[in-house]
Amino acid sequence: MYIGRAVIAGYTNEKKVFLGYILASMSFPKRRARIDEESIKIEPLKTADYNNPYITYNCMKKVEKDKAVVSNGIHTDVIANKLDSGYSGRDAIAISLFAMDYEKDEYNTPRIAACFDNRSLYIGIIEKEKIIIDKVRNDRCMLISTYNKTVPEEISIKRSTAKDIAKELCMLDYEHIICSAVVCRREENDFEFATEEKNRL
């Protein structure tokens, strides 16, 4: 099954908060996830010659020391700004998705996002004809994607560290996975980033 881009929000077996991102693409496969201080950026490889405004963006961003966001586009930064201004995770996602709407490309690609506001996890999507924002229960992991899984659904994640979760995401049985990214809360006011490339496994 091809799911395109996916965000994951949940809790590890050790009750650690984490956010995950899967980049799967048929049209623009020459890309990577790169850690850049307090964010993770999706960007083309130097060998790629792509002319598309939607393929380069921060997919993850840490906000202050206790909040974080993941998404499939530049709305990562918009949501991060709302969290930084004191909005709840639910409101930060809702306002940002409404403002930016789905991507106006040939596929009407949905915008998806998840965030942690230092209290709760939220996950959401905006498509051409609907918007969903759900709170993630504290014993669950939820996934939503741009194709085929456009309603949040439960997923089982067995690993506990950012690096191991990133590897696990790359090994999921979905087509055309390129790379993954994870931000995991190790303890209060402390997050760790990790990325993984499918071709390394």
Side-chain angles (χ1 to χ4, degrees):
M1 177 187 292
Y2 179 65
I3 63 171
R5 275 61 67 202
V7 300
I8 302 95
Y11 301 83
T12 69
N13 292 335
E14 299 176 358
K15 304 299 182 184
K16 295 177 183 177
V17 168
F18 79 93
L19 299 171
Y21 188 68
I22 296 171
L23 173 65
S25 177
M26 294 184 286
S27 302
F28 304 101
K30 294 182 179 180
R31 286 187 285 169
R32 66 171 184 166
R34 178 176 61 84
I35 298 173
D36 182 14
E37 295 184 359
E38 297 190 347
S39 64
I40 298 180
K41 189 179 189 70
I42 300 296
E43 61 185 15
L45 302 177
K46 292 181 179 179
T47 57
D49 184 20
Y50 294 149
N51 183 21
N52 185 298
Y54 295 113
I55 64 170
T56 301
Y57 51 90
N58 288 326
C59 70
M60 286 188 173
K61 199 165 190 177
K62 185 169 72 170
V63 182
E64 298 175 344
K65 295 181 179 180
D66 56 0
K67 304 171 187 176
V69 58
V70 57
S71 92
N72 68 320
I74 59 173
H75 49 297
T76 298
D77 300 309
V78 179
I79 296 169
N81 287 339
K82 295 299 182 186
L83 290 174
D84 192 39
S85 297
Y87 284 79
S88 70
R90 185 200 68 172
D91 291 351
I93 291 177
I95 292 169
S96 302
L97 292 185
F98 266 125
M100 300 199 70
D101 212 351
Y102 61 93
E103 295 179 3
K104 304 305 191 293
D105 59 8
E106 60 182 310
Y107 305 107
N108 292 327
T109 302
R111 290 189 190 271
I112 53 177
C115 73
F116 176 65
D117 64 7
N118 194 30
R119 294 177 299 276
S120 302
L121 281 166
Y122 294 90
I123 191 167
I125 183 171
I126 188 164
E127 296 183 84
K128 189 173 183 179
E129 297 178 351
K130 75 178 181 187
I131 182 169
I132 298 173
I133 301 167
D134 283 350
K135 184 176 180 179
V136 180
R137 286 174 46 179
N138 63 8
D139 59 348
R140 301 284 179 89
C141 295
M142 305 300 291
L143 174 146
I144 198 165
S145 67
T146 54
Y147 306 113
N148 292 312
K149 292 181 179 290
T150 58
V151 174
E153 65 177 58
E154 190 169 357
I155 183 174
S156 176
I157 299 295
K158 299 178 176 61
R159 312 293 177 87
S160 294
T161 68
K163 190 63 178 176
D164 286 345
I165 295 171
K167 290 179 180 179
E168 186 173 356
L169 294 181
C170 267
M171 291 188 290
L172 293 175
D173 190 22
Y174 300 127
E175 297 174 359
H176 304 289
I177 292 178
I178 299 166
C179 61
S180 65
V182 170
V183 59
C184 186
R185 197 181 195 199
R186 291 183 291 197
E187 56 189 40
E188 188 174 356
N189 297 333
D190 185 22
F191 287 90
E192 62 176 339
F193 285 129
T195 63
E196 188 63 57
E197 293 181 10
K198 177 76 171 180
N199 59 14
R200 288 180 182 172
L201 300 177

